[in-house]
Amino acid sequence: MSISISEVRKKIFINSGLIVAGRFIGTISSLLIVPMNIRKLGIEGYGYWGAIWAGATFFSVLNLALSSTMLWQSSTVEGEKISNEEFVSRLRRKAGVGVFFAAIQFLLCGAAALLLLDLLLDKFGLEVSQVNRICLGGSILLVLFSGYSEIAGAMLSGQNHSGVVSNVRSFSALIGNAAIFILLVCGLGMLSLPLGFAVNYLCFSAALCYLTWKKMGIRFFHPVFPRLCELKEMTGYTICSLVGRVTAAVRTQFTCIALGNQVSFEWAGYYTVATKIGALLLEVNSFFMVPMIAFVNRLKREQGALFVIYRDMVVAAAVVSGLVCAGITSVGSDFLSLWLNSPNLKILLPMIFILLLQYMIALIVTGQGVAVCQGDGKNHFETAYLLLNLVLNILLLWLTRPMGGWGILLSAAVSWIFAGCWFSLFIQHHYHLPSVFPICLKTVSVTLALMGGALWMLWSGEALFVNHWAGLIVKGILGPLLFLAVLLPGLRLIPLETQKKYLMRAVGKVRKAWYEKVAS
């Protein structure tokens, strides 16, 4: 059965747009609830909660690896070629195996965490009290319980419903944040946080149960004991996902630890702020990656289909990531001056720019390649890339130690960029895909020019606006527009024939509407 490239492109962009909307809602709700929590708990109490939640989320690593496996498994089931009963049966079987492993994890890890609760509190530097026991134990059990909802979300995403799942996740988080605020007002203190997250998870799980029933005809995924062939198929993929997740987590924290130990904790603090801002750019990766995974198996079978969609998604990711970079670069100094109390911009702003560049290059050259290898069941390619990244970072860090903090940052950036370029070349050769480097060079060149202008204004003391709010608004609009004005003419995003076709269609509709108005 021939696949329509235009239809695939349309579905991917629809899901990507829904993911963007969902992430925006989630980000706004988080930004609103954090200052409210700090006002009610105090900065120290909120710090306690941050330590508790950081420890609890450690138990989510296996959930994330398992949900990645189930996303791939779901994408391999195609309803067009089989009957509806067979389609539902296959999805139920694959999801049931995932729920089986999630249930084992919940029982084993949950029991171990509850038995070692006091030890965990001590290791996290928290007071061993009844409230902290309830908060940490409840948070760990909630994270483990979310394994079912992650599997249900992965199964839906594999069937091209990733945008809906993202919106459900964001609205559940919004309800959970509202519950936290209400409970804090009622005087429950620290206990309101795990209770609010419980409301979040229950809403998310209930909504996903409804969606799986409406979209796939399955009310609930029951645990299914796996066959030997299923164990062989899933174990390797899950282990590679788990190793990749752990490697990426270690890689992210490694630079921060090195800055704290070898330079100063001021640099480590600024790096933490920079990573939070840079994380906005990493979100772009999920906009296109998850919808792309769902179509890889179908696109591989059509001559040139994977080539075309891969090229289009790389260009879309480059443009969106460039827009985000341009926006952050333009408003960076004004936003940081408003957000933080007298930050050292001559350290923080270049640090943010280095992170943005390495994230943007890695996102353009590797983002869709990772989606292709995950959708094809070969995520060991991604794991090798992440391991190479970590090893290179350690080696370069040893070589750049005399350069101080900037040497540590450059070693992290160079290792990420080099490993990403190697991965991109390998994926292009393996799947016969187009080169991503021309679009990457164009995007990076325009972004570097904007960053150079921002740094020149910082060091020269020049300022377009004395008022930071005015600079935030005006430069936040002008920066992305300038980026598009310079970049888009050289990309040829839409073929000339297609532009003419849509232009003539629009002119025809306007003419028809005018004639109808005159006739009436």
Side-chain angles (χ1 to χ4, degrees):
M1 187 178 189
S2 179
I3 188 168
S4 170
I5 294 179
S6 60
E7 188 66 24
V8 171
R9 187 188 291 115
K10 179 181 176 182
K11 288 184 177 179
I12 290 177
F13 278 117
I14 288 174
N15 279 314
S16 299
L18 290 172
I19 291 174
V20 172
R23 294 296 170 87
F24 177 77
I25 294 168
T27 301
I28 294 298
S29 66
S30 297
L31 289 175
L32 290 175
I33 198 65
V34 167
M36 296 177 184
N37 292 343
I38 293 175
R39 193 176 295 116
K40 291 292 182 180
L41 296 173
I43 189 64
E44 185 178 354
Y46 191 73
Y48 266 104
W49 169 247
I52 289 172
W53 189 245
T57 51
F58 172 78
F59 290 85
S60 68
V61 173
L62 187 57
N63 278 348
L64 295 174
L66 192 58
S67 66
S68 177
T69 305
M70 301 317 299
L71 173 60
W72 164 57
Q73 287 281 291
S74 176
S75 69
T76 61
V77 182
E78 301 175 24
E80 296 89 349
K81 296 184 176 182
I82 54 178
S83 65
N84 186 60
E85 292 76 13
E86 180 68 16
F87 172 73
V88 171
S89 176
R90 289 187 185 182
L91 284 177
R92 183 183 282 115
R93 174 78 197 179
K94 290 181 180 294
V97 173
V99 173
F100 173 81
F101 286 114
I104 291 178
Q105 177 198 224
F106 180 84
L107 294 174
L108 295 181
C109 294
L114 293 178
L115 290 173
L116 302 174
L117 202 54
D118 289 352
L119 178 62
L120 290 174
L121 286 170
D122 182 62
K123 292 298 182 183
F124 295 153
L126 299 168
E127 179 186 354
V128 180
S129 65
Q130 191 63 28
V131 172
N132 285 346
R133 286 193 189 99
I134 294 173
C135 288
L136 181 60
S139 300
I140 291 173
L141 292 177
L142 282 172
V143 168
L144 293 172
F145 172 75
S146 69
Y148 174 85
S149 57
E150 292 297 332
I151 289 171
M155 297 302 293
L156 284 164
S157 297
Q159 293 299 313
N160 312 316
H161 302 301
S162 53
V164 178
V165 173
S166 176
N167 285 338
V168 168
R169 189 188 301 274
S170 297
F171 279 109
S172 299
L174 187 62
I175 294 171
N177 286 333
I180 290 173
F181 180 70
I182 292 170
L183 293 171
L184 282 171
V185 171
C186 293
L188 289 183
M190 288 283 289
L191 291 175
S192 61
L193 295 166
L195 291 174
F197 280 114
V199 173
N200 175 4
Y201 283 135
L202 289 173
C203 290
F204 187 47
S205 299
L208 288 183
C209 287
Y210 175 77
L211 284 175
T212 54
W213 173 50
K214 294 296 288 184
K215 302 290 185 181
M216 298 188 292
I218 304 172
R219 286 186 178 273
F220 192 76
F221 295 120
H222 300 280
V224 175
F225 193 82
R227 304 187 186 102
L228 183 60
C229 60
E230 292 169 332
L231 278 175
K232 289 180 179 179
E233 185 179 37
M234 291 180 59
T235 302
Y237 195 98
T238 305
I239 289 175
C240 284
S241 294
L242 184 60
V243 172
R245 299 276 181 182
V246 173
T247 303
V250 171
R251 166 69 179 75
T252 302
Q253 300 302 323
F254 184 77
T255 304
C256 186
I257 294 170
L259 286 171
N261 289 335
Q262 298 182 25
V263 186
S264 70
F265 283 102
E266 180 188 11
W267 276 68
Y270 278 136
Y271 181 79
T272 303
V273 173
T275 54
K276 289 185 180 298
I277 295 174
L280 295 172
L281 186 59
L282 293 179
E283 289 290 332
V284 176
N285 197 32
S286 63
F287 296 167
F288 303 101
M289 182 176 167
V290 175
M292 177 75 172
I293 291 173
F295 283 103
V296 169
N297 274 291
R298 304 179 192 185
L299 292 171
K300 280 197 315 174
R301 294 193 296 269
E302 299 291 333
Q303 184 68 31
L306 184 59
F307 182 99
V308 173
I309 295 296
Y310 174 84
R311 180 198 62 200
D312 292 349
M313 293 303 105
V314 167
V315 172
V319 173
V320 175
S321 62
L323 282 172
V324 174
C325 267
I328 296 173
T329 301
S330 303
V331 305
S333 58
D334 295 298
F335 173 75
L336 293 170
S337 298
L338 289 168
W339 189 36
L340 303 175
N341 184 21
S342 302
N344 188 342
L345 291 178
K346 292 187 177 180
I347 294 177
L348 182 54
L349 201 61
M351 193 181 288
I352 291 172
F353 289 171
I354 291 173
L355 279 176
L356 288 176
L357 277 175
Q358 73 183 47
Y359 289 167
M360 183 172 68
I361 294 172
L363 190 152
I364 296 171
V365 301
T366 67
Q368 299 310 304
V370 169
V372 170
C373 67
Q374 285 191 8
D376 194 29
K378 297 178 180 178
N379 64 335
H380 51 279
F381 295 159
E382 179 198 7
T383 305
Y385 148 63
L386 293 172
L387 288 171
L388 175 63
N389 188 346
L390 180 61
V391 172
L392 281 175
N393 192 13
I394 295 171
L395 292 176
L396 290 173
L397 179 64
W398 181 77
L399 293 173
T400 57
R401 286 180 65 185
M403 297 173 62
W406 297 117
I408 294 173
L409 292 171
L410 288 175
S411 68
V414 171
S415 63
W416 201 325
I417 293 169
F418 182 86
C421 291
W422 168 83
F423 175 79
S424 180
L425 289 171
F426 176 80
I427 290 295
Q428 290 166 27
H429 174 75
H430 187 80
Y431 289 101
H432 306 290
L433 297 172
S435 174
V436 301
F437 296 110
I439 176 61
C440 184
L441 287 173
K442 292 174 183 177
T443 309
V444 170
S445 299
V446 180
T447 306
L448 277 173
L450 289 172
M451 289 181 175
L455 291 176
W456 176 81
M457 294 178 64
L458 175 65
W459 259 279
S460 66
E462 298 287 339
L464 292 177
F465 298 92
V466 177
N467 186 289
H468 291 304
W469 283 107
L472 190 69
I473 296 170
V474 177
K475 289 193 289 185
I477 296 172
L478 292 180
L481 288 178
L482 179 61
F483 172 84
L484 286 176
V486 176
L487 183 70
L488 288 185
L491 288 185
R492 297 177 184 174
L493 291 177
I494 304 174
L496 186 60
E497 295 77 11
T498 306
Q499 295 182 45
K500 289 180 179 178
K501 181 180 73 173
Y502 283 107
L503 179 61
M504 295 307 296
R505 185 181 298 176
V507 170
K509 288 183 178 180
V510 172
R511 184 182 297 169
K512 181 180 178 183
W514 172 255
Y515 286 152
E516 289 177 352
K517 183 178 180 180
V518 171
S520 63

